[in-house]
Coordinates of all heavy atoms in Angstrom, one line a residue:
M1 N -5.7 -19.2 9.5 CA -4.3 -18.8 9.3 C -4.2 -17.3 9.6 O -5.2 -16.6 9.5 CB -3.9 -19.1 7.9 CG -3.7 -20.6 7.7 SD -3.1 -21.0 6.0 CE -1.4 -20.2 6.1
K2 N -3.0 -16.9 9.8 CA -2.7 -15.5 10.1 C -1.9 -14.9 8.9 O -0.8 -15.4 8.6 CB -2.0 -15.4 11.4 CG -1.8 -14.0 11.9 CD -1.3 -14.0 13.3 CE -1.2 -12.6 13.8 NZ -0.6 -12.6 15.1
F3 N -2.5 -14.0 8.2 CA -1.8 -13.4 6.9 C -1.3 -12.0 7.2 O -2.1 -11.2 7.7 CB -2.8 -13.4 5.8 CG -3.2 -14.7 5.3 CD1 -4.3 -15.4 5.8 CD2 -2.5 -15.4 4.2 CE1 -4.6 -16.7 5.3 CE2 -2.8 -16.6 3.8 CZ -3.9 -17.2 4.3
L4 N -0.1 -11.7 6.7 CA 0.3 -10.3 6.6 C 0.3 -10.0 5.1 O 0.9 -10.7 4.3 CB 1.8 -10.2 7.1 CG 2.4 -8.8 7.0 CD1 1.6 -7.8 7.8 CD2 3.9 -8.8 7.3
I5 N -0.5 -8.9 4.7 CA -0.5 -8.5 3.3 C 0.2 -7.2 3.2 O -0.3 -6.2 3.7 CB -2.0 -8.4 2.8 CG1 -2.6 -9.8 2.9 CG2 -2.0 -7.8 1.4 CD1 -4.0 -9.8 2.4
Q6 N 1.4 -7.2 2.7 CA 2.2 -6.0 2.5 C 2.0 -5.4 1.1 O 2.1 -6.1 0.1 CB 3.7 -6.4 2.6 CG 4.6 -5.1 2.5 CD 6.1 -5.5 2.7 OE1 6.4 -6.6 2.8 NE2 6.9 -4.4 2.8
I7 N 1.6 -4.2 1.1 CA 1.3 -3.5 -0.1 C 2.4 -2.4 -0.3 O 2.4 -1.5 0.4 CB -0.1 -2.9 -0.1 CG1 -1.2 -3.9 0.1 CG2 -0.4 -2.1 -1.4 CD1 -2.6 -3.5 0.4
R8 N 3.2 -2.6 -1.4 CA 4.3 -1.8 -1.6 C 4.1 -1.0 -2.9 O 4.8 0.1 -3.1 CB 5.6 -2.6 -1.8 CG 5.9 -3.5 -0.6 CD 7.0 -4.4 -0.9 NE 8.3 -3.6 -1.0 CZ 9.4 -4.1 -1.2 NH1 9.6 -5.4 -1.3 NH2 10.5 -3.4 -1.3
S9 N 3.2 -1.4 -3.7 CA 3.1 -0.8 -5.1 C 2.3 0.5 -5.1 O 1.4 0.7 -4.2 CB 2.3 -1.8 -6.0 OG 2.1 -1.3 -7.2
D10 N 2.6 1.4 -6.0 CA 1.8 2.6 -6.2 C 0.7 2.4 -7.3 O 0.1 3.3 -7.7 CB 2.7 3.7 -6.6 CG 3.4 3.5 -7.9 OD1 3.3 2.5 -8.5 OD2 4.1 4.5 -8.3
S11 N 0.5 1.2 -7.7 CA -0.6 0.8 -8.7 C -1.9 0.6 -7.9 O -2.0 -0.2 -7.0 CB -0.2 -0.5 -9.4 OG -1.3 -1.0 -10.1
E12 N -2.9 1.4 -8.4 CA -4.2 1.2 -7.8 C -4.8 -0.2 -8.0 O -5.4 -0.7 -7.1 CB -5.2 2.3 -8.3 CG -6.6 2.2 -7.7 CD -7.6 3.1 -8.3 OE1 -7.3 3.8 -9.3 OE2 -8.7 3.2 -7.7
L13 N -4.6 -0.7 -9.1 CA -5.1 -2.1 -9.4 C -4.4 -3.1 -8.6 O -5.1 -4.0 -8.0 CB -4.9 -2.4 -10.9 CG -5.4 -3.8 -11.3 CD1 -6.9 -3.9 -11.1 CD2 -5.1 -4.0 -12.8
I14 N -3.2 -3.0 -8.4 CA -2.5 -4.0 -7.5 C -2.9 -3.9 -6.1 O -3.2 -4.9 -5.4 CB -0.9 -3.9 -7.6 CG1 -0.5 -4.3 -9.1 CG2 -0.2 -4.7 -6.5 CD1 0.9 -4.1 -9.3
G15 N -3.0 -2.6 -5.6 CA -3.5 -2.4 -4.2 C -5.0 -2.9 -4.0 O -5.3 -3.4 -3.0
Y16 N -5.8 -2.6 -5.0 CA -7.2 -3.1 -5.0 C -7.3 -4.6 -4.9 O -8.0 -5.1 -4.0 CB -7.9 -2.6 -6.2 CG -9.3 -3.2 -6.4 CD1 -10.4 -2.7 -5.7 CD2 -9.5 -4.3 -7.2 CE1 -11.6 -3.2 -5.8 CE2 -10.7 -4.8 -7.4 CZ -11.8 -4.3 -6.7 OH -13.0 -4.9 -6.8
E17 N -6.5 -5.3 -5.7 CA -6.5 -6.8 -5.6 C -6.0 -7.2 -4.3 O -6.5 -8.2 -3.8 CB -5.6 -7.3 -6.8 CG -6.2 -7.1 -8.2 CD -7.5 -7.8 -8.4 OE1 -7.8 -8.9 -7.8 OE2 -8.3 -7.3 -9.2
A18 N -5.0 -6.6 -3.7 CA -4.4 -7.1 -2.4 C -5.5 -6.9 -1.3 O -5.6 -7.8 -0.5 CB -3.2 -6.3 -2.1
I19 N -6.1 -5.7 -1.3 CA -7.1 -5.5 -0.3 C -8.3 -6.4 -0.5 O -8.9 -7.0 0.5 CB -7.6 -4.0 -0.3 CG1 -6.3 -3.1 0.2 CG2 -8.7 -3.8 0.7 CD1 -6.5 -1.7 0.1
A20 N -8.8 -6.6 -1.7 CA -9.9 -7.5 -2.0 C -9.6 -8.9 -1.5 O -10.4 -9.6 -0.9 CB -10.2 -7.5 -3.4
L21 N -8.3 -9.4 -1.7 CA -7.9 -10.7 -1.3 C -8.0 -10.7 0.3 O -8.4 -11.7 0.8 CB -6.5 -11.0 -1.8 CG -5.9 -12.3 -1.2 CD1 -6.7 -13.5 -1.6 CD2 -4.4 -12.4 -1.7
G22 N -7.5 -9.7 0.9 CA -7.5 -9.7 2.4 C -8.9 -9.7 2.9 O -9.2 -10.4 3.9
F23 N -9.8 -9.0 2.3 CA -11.2 -9.0 2.7 C -11.9 -10.4 2.5 O -12.6 -10.9 3.3 CB -12.1 -8.0 2.0 CG -11.8 -6.5 2.4 CD1 -12.3 -5.5 1.7 CD2 -11.1 -6.2 3.5 CE1 -12.1 -4.2 2.0 CE2 -10.8 -4.9 3.9 CZ -11.4 -3.9 3.2
T24 N -11.5 -11.0 1.4 CA -12.0 -12.4 1.2 C -11.5 -13.4 2.2 O -12.3 -14.2 2.8 CB -11.6 -12.9 -0.2 OG1 -12.1 -11.9 -1.2 CG2 -12.1 -14.3 -0.5
L25 N -10.2 -13.3 2.5 CA -9.6 -14.1 3.5 C -10.3 -13.9 4.9 O -10.6 -14.9 5.6 CB -8.1 -13.9 3.7 CG -7.3 -14.4 2.5 CD1 -5.9 -13.9 2.5 CD2 -7.3 -15.9 2.4
A26 N -10.5 -12.6 5.2 CA -11.2 -12.3 6.5 C -12.6 -12.8 6.5 O -13.1 -13.2 7.6 CB -11.2 -10.8 6.7
S27 N -13.2 -12.9 5.4 CA -14.6 -13.4 5.3 C -14.7 -14.9 5.7 O -15.7 -15.4 6.1 CB -15.2 -13.2 4.0 OG -15.3 -11.9 3.7
F28 N -13.5 -15.6 5.5 CA -13.4 -17.0 5.9 C -12.7 -17.2 7.2 O -12.1 -18.2 7.5 CB -12.7 -17.8 4.8 CG -13.6 -17.9 3.5 CD1 -13.4 -17.1 2.4 CD2 -14.5 -18.9 3.5 CE1 -14.2 -17.2 1.3 CE2 -15.4 -19.0 2.3 CZ -15.2 -18.2 1.3
D29 N -12.8 -16.2 8.1 CA -12.3 -16.2 9.4 C -10.8 -16.4 9.6 O -10.3 -16.8 10.6 CB -13.0 -17.3 10.2 CG -14.4 -17.0 10.5 OD1 -14.8 -15.8 10.6 OD2 -15.3 -18.0 10.5
H30 N -10.1 -15.9 8.6 CA -8.6 -15.8 8.7 C -8.3 -14.5 9.3 O -9.0 -13.5 9.2 CB -7.9 -15.9 7.3 CG -8.1 -17.3 6.7 ND1 -7.4 -18.4 7.2 CD2 -8.8 -17.7 5.7 CE1 -7.8 -19.4 6.4 NE2 -8.6 -19.1 5.5
Q31 N -7.2 -14.4 10.0 CA -6.7 -13.2 10.6 C -5.8 -12.5 9.5 O -4.9 -13.1 9.0 CB -5.8 -13.4 11.8 CG -6.6 -14.0 12.9 CD -5.8 -14.3 14.2 OE1 -4.6 -14.2 14.1 NE2 -6.4 -14.6 15.2
V32 N -6.1 -11.2 9.2 CA -5.4 -10.5 8.2 C -4.9 -9.2 8.7 O -5.6 -8.4 9.4 CB -6.4 -10.2 7.0 CG1 -5.6 -9.3 5.9 CG2 -6.9 -11.5 6.4
Q33 N -3.7 -8.9 8.4 CA -3.1 -7.6 8.8 C -2.5 -6.9 7.5 O -1.7 -7.5 6.8 CB -1.9 -7.8 9.8 CG -1.3 -6.5 10.2 CD -2.2 -5.5 10.9 OE1 -2.7 -5.9 12.0 NE2 -2.4 -4.3 10.4
F34 N -3.0 -5.7 7.2 CA -2.5 -5.0 6.1 C -1.3 -4.1 6.5 O -1.3 -3.5 7.6 CB -3.5 -4.1 5.4 CG -4.7 -4.8 4.8 CD1 -5.9 -4.9 5.3 CD2 -4.5 -5.4 3.6 CE1 -7.0 -5.5 4.8 CE2 -5.5 -6.1 2.9 CZ -6.7 -6.2 3.5
Y35 N -0.3 -4.1 5.6 CA 0.9 -3.3 5.9 C 1.3 -2.6 4.7 O 1.7 -3.1 3.7 CB 2.0 -4.3 6.3 CG 3.4 -3.8 6.6 CD1 3.6 -2.6 7.3 CD2 4.5 -4.4 6.2 CE1 4.8 -2.1 7.6 CE2 5.8 -4.0 6.5 CZ 5.9 -2.8 7.1 OH 7.2 -2.3 7.4
F36 N 1.2 -1.2 4.7 CA 1.6 -0.3 3.6 C 3.0 0.2 3.7 O 3.4 0.7 4.8 CB 0.6 0.8 3.5 CG -0.8 0.4 3.2 CD1 -1.8 0.1 4.1 CD2 -1.2 0.3 1.8 CE1 -3.0 -0.3 3.8 CE2 -2.5 0.0 1.5 CZ -3.4 -0.4 2.5
T37 N 3.7 0.1 2.6 CA 5.1 0.6 2.6 C 5.4 1.2 1.2 O 4.6 1.1 0.3 CB 6.1 -0.5 2.9 OG1 6.1 -1.5 1.9 CG2 5.9 -1.2 4.2
D38 N 6.6 1.7 1.1 CA 7.1 2.2 -0.1 C 6.2 3.2 -0.8 O 5.7 4.1 -0.2 CB 7.6 1.1 -1.1 CG 8.7 0.2 -0.5 OD1 9.4 0.7 0.4 OD2 8.7 -1.0 -0.8
G39 N 5.9 3.0 -2.1 CA 5.1 3.9 -2.9 C 3.6 3.8 -2.8 O 2.8 4.5 -3.4
S40 N 3.2 2.9 -1.9 CA 1.7 2.7 -1.7 C 1.0 3.9 -1.2 O -0.2 4.1 -1.3 CB 1.4 1.5 -0.9 OG 1.9 1.6 0.4
H41 N 1.8 4.8 -0.6 CA 1.2 6.0 0.0 C 0.5 6.9 -1.1 O -0.4 7.6 -0.8 CB 2.2 6.9 0.8 CG 3.2 7.5 -0.1 ND1 3.1 8.7 -0.6 CD2 4.4 7.0 -0.4 CE1 4.2 9.0 -1.3 NE2 5.0 8.0 -1.2
L42 N 0.9 6.8 -2.3 CA 0.4 7.6 -3.4 C -1.1 7.2 -3.7 O -1.9 8.2 -3.9 CB 1.2 7.4 -4.7 CG 2.6 7.9 -4.6 CD1 3.4 7.5 -5.8 CD2 2.7 9.4 -4.4
V43 N -1.4 6.0 -3.7 CA -2.8 5.6 -3.9 C -3.6 5.6 -2.6 O -4.8 5.8 -2.5 CB -3.0 4.2 -4.6 CG1 -2.5 4.4 -6.0 CG2 -2.2 3.1 -3.9
L44 N -2.9 5.3 -1.5 CA -3.6 5.3 -0.2 C -4.1 6.6 0.2 O -5.1 6.8 0.8 CB -2.6 4.7 0.9 CG -3.2 4.6 2.3 CD1 -4.3 3.6 2.3 CD2 -2.0 4.2 3.2
N45 N -3.4 7.7 -0.3 CA -3.7 9.1 0.1 C -4.6 9.8 -0.9 O -4.9 10.9 -0.7 CB -2.4 9.8 0.3 CG -2.3 10.6 1.5 OD1 -3.1 10.5 2.4 ND2 -1.3 11.4 1.7
D46 N -5.0 9.1 -1.9 CA -5.7 9.6 -3.1 C -7.2 9.4 -2.9 O -7.7 8.3 -3.0 CB -5.2 9.1 -4.4 CG -6.0 9.7 -5.6 OD1 -6.8 10.6 -5.4 OD2 -5.7 9.2 -6.7
P47 N -8.0 10.4 -2.5 CA -9.4 10.2 -2.3 C -10.2 9.7 -3.5 O -11.3 9.2 -3.4 CB -10.0 11.6 -2.0 CG -8.8 12.4 -1.6 CD -7.6 11.8 -2.3
Q48 N -9.6 9.8 -4.7 CA -10.2 9.2 -5.9 C -9.9 7.8 -6.2 O -10.5 7.1 -7.0 CB -9.7 10.1 -7.1 CG -10.0 11.5 -7.1 CD -11.5 11.8 -6.9 OE1 -12.3 11.2 -7.6 NE2 -11.9 12.7 -6.1
S49 N -9.0 7.2 -5.4 CA -8.7 5.8 -5.6 C -9.6 4.9 -4.8 O -10.2 5.2 -3.8 CB -7.2 5.5 -5.2 OG -7.1 5.4 -3.8
R50 N -9.7 3.7 -5.3 CA -10.6 2.7 -4.6 C -10.0 2.3 -3.3 O -10.7 2.0 -2.3 CB -10.8 1.5 -5.5 CG -11.6 1.8 -6.8 CD -11.8 0.6 -7.6 NE -10.5 0.4 -8.4 CZ -10.3 -0.6 -9.3 NH1 -11.3 -1.4 -9.6 NH2 -9.2 -0.6 -10.0
I51 N -8.7 2.3 -3.2 CA -8.0 1.9 -2.0 C -8.4 2.8 -0.8 O -8.5 2.4 0.3 CB -6.5 1.8 -2.2 CG1 -6.2 0.7 -3.2 CG2 -5.7 1.6 -0.9 CD1 -4.7 0.8 -3.7
Y52 N -8.5 4.1 -1.2 CA -8.8 5.1 -0.1 C -10.2 4.7 0.5 O -10.2 4.8 1.8 CB -8.9 6.5 -0.8 CG -9.2 7.6 0.1 CD1 -8.1 8.3 0.6 CD2 -10.5 8.1 0.3 CE1 -8.3 9.4 1.5 CE2 -10.7 9.2 1.2 CZ -9.6 9.8 1.7 OH -9.9 10.9 2.5
G53 N -11.1 4.3 -0.3 CA -12.4 3.9 0.3 C -12.4 2.5 0.9 O -13.0 2.3 2.0
M54 N -11.7 1.6 0.3 CA -11.7 0.3 0.8 C -11.1 0.2 2.2 O -11.6 -0.6 3.1 CB -10.9 -0.7 -0.1 CG -11.7 -0.9 -1.4 SD -10.7 -1.9 -2.6 CE -10.9 -3.5 -2.0
I55 N -10.0 0.9 2.4 CA -9.2 0.7 3.7 C -10.0 1.3 4.8 O -9.8 0.9 6.0 CB -7.8 1.4 3.6 CG1 -6.9 0.9 4.6 CG2 -7.9 2.9 3.7 CD1 -6.6 -0.6 4.4
Q56 N -11.0 2.1 4.5 CA -11.9 2.6 5.6 C -12.9 1.6 6.0 O -13.7 1.9 7.0 CB -12.6 3.9 5.1 CG -11.6 5.1 4.8 CD -12.3 6.3 4.3 OE1 -13.3 6.7 4.8 NE2 -11.8 6.7 3.1
S57 N -13.0 0.4 5.4 CA -13.9 -0.6 5.7 C -13.4 -1.7 6.6 O -14.0 -2.7 6.7 CB -14.4 -1.2 4.4 OG -15.0 -0.2 3.6
L58 N -12.2 -1.5 7.1 CA -11.6 -2.5 7.9 C -12.5 -3.0 9.1 O -12.6 -4.2 9.3 CB -10.3 -2.1 8.5 CG -9.2 -1.8 7.5 CD1 -7.9 -1.3 8.2 CD2 -8.8 -3.1 6.7
D59 N -13.2 -2.1 9.7 CA -14.1 -2.5 10.8 C -15.2 -3.4 10.4 O -15.7 -4.2 11.2 CB -14.5 -1.3 11.6 CG -15.3 -0.3 10.8 OD1 -15.2 -0.3 9.6 OD2 -16.1 0.5 11.4
L60 N -15.6 -3.3 9.2 CA -16.7 -4.1 8.7 C -16.3 -5.6 8.6 O -17.1 -6.5 8.6 CB -17.2 -3.6 7.2 CG -17.8 -2.3 7.2 CD1 -18.1 -1.9 5.8 CD2 -19.1 -2.2 8.0
Y61 N -15.0 -5.8 8.5 CA -14.5 -7.2 8.4 C -13.8 -7.6 9.7 O -13.1 -8.6 9.7 CB -13.5 -7.3 7.2 CG -14.1 -7.2 5.9 CD1 -14.3 -5.9 5.3 CD2 -14.6 -8.3 5.2 CE1 -14.9 -5.8 4.0 CE2 -15.2 -8.2 4.0 CZ -15.3 -6.9 3.4 OH -15.9 -6.8 2.2
D62 N -14.0 -6.8 10.7 CA -13.4 -7.0 12.0 C -11.9 -7.1 11.9 O -11.2 -8.0 12.6 CB -13.9 -8.3 12.7 CG -15.4 -8.1 13.1 OD1 -15.8 -7.0 13.5 OD2 -16.2 -9.1 13.0
L63 N -11.3 -6.3 11.1 CA -9.8 -6.3 10.9 C -9.2 -5.2 11.7 O -9.8 -4.1 11.9 CB -9.5 -6.1 9.4 CG -9.9 -7.3 8.5 CD1 -9.6 -6.9 7.1 CD2 -9.1 -8.5 8.9
P64 N -8.0 -5.4 12.2 CA -7.3 -4.3 12.9 C -6.9 -3.2 12.0 O -6.9 -3.3 10.8 CB -6.1 -5.0 13.5 CG -5.8 -6.1 12.6 CD -7.1 -6.5 12.0
K65 N -6.5 -2.1 12.6 CA -6.0 -0.9 11.8 C -4.8 -1.4 11.0 O -4.0 -2.2 11.4 CB -5.6 0.2 12.7 CG -6.8 0.9 13.4 CD -6.4 2.1 14.2 CE -7.6 2.8 14.7 NZ -7.3 4.1 15.3
A66 N -4.7 -0.8 9.8 CA -3.6 -1.2 8.9 C -2.3 -0.6 9.5 O -2.4 0.5 10.2 CB -3.8 -0.7 7.5
W67 N -1.2 -1.2 9.2 CA 0.1 -0.6 9.5 C 0.7 0.1 8.4 O 0.4 -0.2 7.2 CB 1.1 -1.7 9.9 CG 0.7 -2.5 11.2 CD1 -0.2 -2.1 12.1 CD2 1.1 -3.9 11.5 NE1 -0.3 -3.1 13.1 CE2 0.5 -4.2 12.7 CE3 1.9 -4.8 10.9 CZ2 0.7 -5.4 13.4 CZ3 2.2 -6.0 11.5 CH2 1.5 -6.3 12.8
A68 N 1.6 1.1 8.6 CA 2.2 1.8 7.6 C 3.6 2.2 8.0 O 3.9 2.5 9.2 CB 1.4 3.1 7.3
D69 N 4.5 2.1 7.1 CA 5.9 2.4 7.3 C 6.4 3.3 6.1 O 6.8 2.7 5.1 CB 6.8 1.2 7.5 CG 8.2 1.5 7.8 OD1 8.5 2.7 8.2 OD2 9.1 0.6 7.8
F70 N 6.3 4.6 6.3 CA 6.7 5.6 5.2 C 7.8 6.5 5.7 O 8.0 6.6 6.9 CB 5.4 6.3 4.7 CG 4.3 5.6 4.2 CD1 3.0 5.6 4.7 CD2 4.5 4.7 3.1 CE1 2.0 4.9 4.1 CE2 3.5 3.9 2.6 CZ 2.2 4.1 3.1
A71 N 8.4 7.1 4.8 CA 9.4 8.2 5.2 C 8.7 9.2 6.1 O 7.5 9.5 5.9 CB 10.0 8.8 3.9
P72 N 9.5 9.8 7.0 CA 8.9 10.7 7.9 C 8.3 12.0 7.3 O 7.4 12.6 7.9 CB 10.2 11.2 8.8 CG 11.2 10.2 8.5 CD 10.9 9.5 7.2
D73 N 8.6 12.3 6.1 CA 8.1 13.5 5.5 C 6.7 13.2 4.8 O 6.1 14.1 4.3 CB 9.1 14.1 4.5 CG 9.4 13.2 3.3 OD1 9.5 11.9 3.6 OD2 9.7 13.6 2.2
I74 N 6.3 12.0 4.7 CA 5.0 11.6 4.1 C 3.9 11.6 5.1 O 4.0 10.9 6.2 CB 5.1 10.2 3.5 CG1 6.1 10.2 2.3 CG2 3.7 9.8 3.0 CD1 6.4 8.9 1.7
R75 N 2.9 12.5 4.9 CA 1.8 12.6 5.8 C 0.6 12.0 5.1 O 0.3 12.2 3.9 CB 1.5 14.1 6.1 CG 2.7 14.7 6.7 CD 2.5 15.7 7.9 NE 1.1 15.9 8.3 CZ 0.6 15.5 9.5 NH1 1.3 14.7 10.3 NH2 -0.6 15.7 9.8
L76 N -0.2 11.3 5.9 CA -1.4 10.7 5.4 C -2.7 11.6 5.7 O -2.7 12.4 6.7 CB -1.7 9.3 6.0 CG -0.7 8.3 5.6 CD1 -1.0 7.0 6.4 CD2 -0.7 8.0 4.1
D77 N -3.6 11.6 4.8 CA -4.9 12.3 4.9 C -5.4 11.9 6.4 O -5.3 10.8 6.8 CB -5.8 11.8 3.8 CG -7.2 12.4 3.8 OD1 -7.9 12.3 4.9 OD2 -7.6 13.0 2.8
D78 N -6.1 12.9 7.0 CA -6.7 12.6 8.3 C -7.7 11.5 8.3 O -7.7 10.7 9.3 CB -7.4 13.9 8.8 CG -6.4 15.0 9.2 OD1 -5.3 14.7 9.5 OD2 -6.8 16.2 9.2
V79 N -8.4 11.3 7.3 CA -9.4 10.2 7.2 C -8.7 8.9 7.2 O -9.0 8.0 7.9 CB -10.3 10.3 5.9 CG1 -11.2 9.1 5.8 CG2 -11.2 11.6 6.0
I80 N -7.6 8.8 6.4 CA -6.8 7.6 6.4 C -6.0 7.4 7.7 O -5.8 6.3 8.1 CB -5.9 7.6 5.1 CG1 -6.7 7.6 3.9 CG2 -4.9 6.4 5.2 CD1 -7.6 6.5 3.7
G81 N -5.6 8.5 8.2 CA -4.9 8.4 9.5 C -5.7 7.7 10.6 O -5.1 7.2 11.6
D82 N -7.0 7.7 10.5 CA -7.8 7.1 11.5 C -7.8 5.6 11.5 O -8.2 4.9 12.4 CB -9.3 7.6 11.5 CG -9.4 9.1 11.9 OD1 -8.5 9.5 12.6 OD2 -10.4 9.6 11.5
V83 N -7.5 5.0 10.3 CA -7.5 3.6 10.1 C -6.1 3.0 9.8 O -6.0 1.8 9.6 CB -8.4 3.2 9.0 CG1 -9.9 3.5 9.3 CG2 -8.1 3.8 7.7
V84 N -5.1 3.8 9.9 CA -3.7 3.4 9.6 C -2.8 3.8 10.8 O -2.9 4.9 11.2 CB -3.2 4.0 8.3 CG1 -1.7 3.6 8.1 CG2 -4.0 3.5 7.1
V85 N -2.0 2.8 11.3 CA -1.2 3.1 12.4 C 0.3 3.0 11.9 O 0.7 2.1 11.3 CB -1.4 2.0 13.5 CG1 -0.4 2.2 14.7 CG2 -2.8 2.0 14.0
P86 N 1.1 4.0 12.2 CA 2.5 4.0 11.8 C 3.2 2.9 12.6 O 2.9 2.7 13.8 CB 3.1 5.4 12.2 CG 1.9 6.2 12.7 CD 0.8 5.3 12.9
T87 N 4.1 2.2 12.0 CA 4.9 1.2 12.7 C 6.3 1.2 12.1 O 6.5 1.6 10.9 CB 4.3 -0.2 12.5 OG1 5.0 -1.2 13.3 CG2 4.3 -0.7 11.0
D88 N 7.3 0.8 12.9 CA 8.7 0.8 12.5 C 9.2 -0.6 12.0 O 9.9 -0.7 11.1 CB 9.6 1.3 13.6 CG 9.4 2.8 13.8 OD1 9.0 3.5 12.9 OD2 9.5 3.2 15.0
A89 N 8.7 -1.6 12.8 CA 9.2 -2.9 12.5 C 8.1 -3.9 12.5 O 7.2 -3.8 13.4 CB 10.3 -3.3 13.5
V90 N 8.2 -4.8 11.6 CA 7.2 -5.9 11.6 C 7.9 -7.3 11.6 O 8.9 -7.4 10.9 CB 6.3 -5.8 10.3 CG1 5.4 -7.1 10.1 CG2 5.5 -4.6 10.3
C91 N 7.4 -8.1 12.5 CA 8.1 -9.5 12.6 C 7.2 -10.4 11.8 O 6.2 -10.9 12.2 CB 8.1 -9.9 14.1 SG 9.0 -11.4 14.3
S92 N 7.7 -10.8 10.6 CA 7.0 -11.6 9.7 C 6.8 -13.0 10.2 O 6.0 -13.8 9.8 CB 7.7 -11.6 8.3 OG 9.0 -12.2 8.4
T93 N 7.7 -13.4 11.2 CA 7.5 -14.8 11.7 C 6.3 -14.9 12.6 O 5.9 -16.0 13.0 CB 8.8 -15.2 12.5 OG1 8.9 -14.2 13.6 CG2 10.0 -15.2 11.6
D94 N 5.6 -13.8 12.9 CA 4.4 -13.9 13.7 C 3.2 -14.3 12.8 O 2.1 -14.4 13.3 CB 4.1 -12.5 14.3 CG 5.1 -12.1 15.4 OD1 5.8 -13.0 15.9 OD2 5.1 -10.9 15.7
F95 N 3.4 -14.4 11.5 CA 2.4 -14.7 10.6 C 2.6 -16.1 9.9 O 3.8 -16.5 9.7 CB 2.3 -13.6 9.5 CG 1.9 -12.3 10.1 CD1 2.9 -11.4 10.6 CD2 0.6 -11.9 10.2 CE1 2.6 -10.2 11.1 CE2 0.3 -10.7 10.8 CZ 1.2 -9.9 11.2
D96 N 1.5 -16.7 9.5 CA 1.7 -18.0 8.8 C 2.1 -17.8 7.3 O 2.7 -18.6 6.8 CB 0.3 -18.7 8.8 CG -0.1 -19.1 10.2 OD1 0.8 -19.6 11.0 OD2 -1.3 -18.9 10.6
S97 N 1.6 -16.7 6.8 CA 2.0 -16.4 5.4 C 2.1 -14.9 5.2 O 1.4 -14.1 5.8 CB 0.9 -16.9 4.5 OG 1.2 -16.8 3.2
V98 N 3.1 -14.5 4.4 CA 3.3 -13.1 4.1 C 3.1 -12.9 2.6 O 3.8 -13.6 1.8 CB 4.7 -12.6 4.5 CG1 5.0 -11.1 4.1 CG2 4.9 -12.7 6.0
L99 N 2.2 -12.1 2.2 CA 1.9 -11.8 0.8 C 2.4 -10.4 0.4 O 2.0 -9.5 1.1 CB 0.5 -12.0 0.5 CG -0.1 -13.3 0.9 CD1 -1.6 -13.3 0.7 CD2 0.5 -14.5 0.2
V100 N 3.2 -10.3 -0.6 CA 3.8 -9.0 -0.9 C 3.2 -8.6 -2.3 O 3.4 -9.3 -3.3 CB 5.3 -9.0 -0.9 CG1 5.9 -7.6 -1.3 CG2 5.8 -9.4 0.4
F101 N 2.7 -7.4 -2.4 CA 2.1 -6.8 -3.6 C 2.8 -5.6 -3.9 O 3.0 -4.7 -3.2 CB 0.6 -6.6 -3.5 CG -0.2 -7.8 -3.3 CD1 -0.4 -8.4 -2.1 CD2 -0.7 -8.5 -4.4 CE1 -1.1 -9.6 -1.9 CE2 -1.5 -9.6 -4.3 CZ -1.7 -10.2 -3.0

């Protein structure tokens, strides 16, 4: 199956659970795409958060770069910028399931 995992929350625990779920699904040969929006930039950009480290492991699971849709004034850390691609629109019908956290 093809999953879109949208992470909107600024909670580290919620983001951690969402990414862990995505990694688990990828381990069972599902296609997973992470999509960061809204307040998730707060934990995504924090080098002390688990999400900061986890998102750098996408290539270990053969996952594509994560997508991000934040306000233009929000800048991501250079390390995170290497694994996150800005996007304007996502077509949820391209996925079998959309999970929102």
